[in-house]
Amino acid sequence: MKTTDHAQIVTFRLGDDHFAADIFSVERVLRYQPPTAVPNVPDWIEGVIDYQGRVVPVINLRLRFEMERAPVNNDTRILVFNTGGDFVAATVDAVVEVAPLSQAQMSPPPPLFRGLAGEYLRGVIRRGDRLVIFLEVARLLSTSERLTLQRGADKDAVEPADGEDVVRAEDAVLPTTLPGVPVERG
């Protein structure tokens, strides 16, 4: 967050609880589209999306914070966070608002929050009669979790057997229609 007295936050909802991220950490708010599933990852990683030509992991924040899974609805969004050169996306129930934040509204995290939970907690914000949990989005995935995801992606890469031909994706010829699938013309 900027070191000035005022900044802006993006507030979002998970169930009845409100959370916030610094507006400079929020790259984009996307309508929910189911991410592509990835094998051998924790349950709270929904999969990956393609964002600006990059493969971005999507975290289900409800599951990351050990809340119950919720059905997707019209308000469900994917927030794409910029975590210092990398992107991480998160599924949230709804984006509530973009609001100004003064330093006077924010309190440091209580000492009780240590360990993993304390790592991604930046502070607690008072907004009227509501408390909003201010997240340090760069820490939603720890270094070891990022390495695990990278190793999983590397392990899933299949090496061709001796004598097998390899077709690069850009050289592949794909069918223009599939049996039983209507063609959309645009």
Side-chain angles (χ1 to χ4, degrees):
M1 183 167 43
K2 296 261 184 201
T3 57
T4 61
D5 287 342
H6 294 285
Q8 287 189 311
I9 55 172
V10 176
T11 305
F12 53 92
R13 189 175 49 74
L14 297 173
D16 293 330
D17 298 323
H18 284 161
F19 295 82
D22 187 319
I23 196 165
F24 292 111
S25 297
V26 179
E27 176 76 17
R28 185 71 47 107
V29 177
L30 305 172
R31 290 195 182 278
Y32 183 84
Q33 299 264 329
T36 301
V38 177
N40 302 320
V41 295
D43 289 343
W44 47 266
I45 296 179
E46 285 189 66
V48 293
I49 59 171
D50 177 42
Y51 178 72
Q52 295 184 349
R54 294 167 108 175
V55 176
V56 177
V58 179
I59 298 169
N60 183 316
L61 281 185
R62 281 178 154 271
L63 299 181
R64 179 69 166 147
F65 298 155
E66 298 181 4
M67 301 169 77
E68 273 188 41
R69 186 180 295 274
V72 172
N73 62 42
N74 288 335
D75 292 330
T76 305
R77 296 289 182 264
I78 293 178
L79 293 175
V80 179
F81 297 117
N82 184 337
T83 61
D86 287 329
F87 292 128
V88 173
T91 302
V92 300
D93 293 350
V95 173
V96 178
E97 66 180 342
V98 173
L101 171 68
S102 73
Q103 287 298 111
Q105 291 174 288
M106 191 165 83
S107 300
L112 175 69
F113 295 109
R114 292 196 179 116
L116 184 60
E119 281 185 29
Y120 46 73
L121 183 60
R122 192 173 196 169
V124 179
I125 301 167
R126 290 178 177 79
R127 305 236 351 119
D129 62 345
R130 179 176 292 280
L131 294 177
V132 178
I133 306 301
F134 192 23
L135 299 176
E136 181 63 68
V137 297
R139 295 186 176 168
L140 286 174
L141 280 179
S142 70
T143 302
S144 62
E145 290 163 343
R146 287 176 195 270
L147 289 172
T148 299
L149 285 173
Q150 183 60 45
R151 271 190 244 121
D154 292 345
K155 185 175 76 172
D156 289 339
V158 177
E159 292 294 322
D162 287 336
E164 276 189 346
D165 289 330
V166 176
V167 177
R168 296 183 332 206
E170 57 268 17
D171 296 333
V173 177
L174 301 175
T176 55
T177 62
L178 295 173
V181 177
V183 177
E184 291 184 23
R185 306 237 185 247

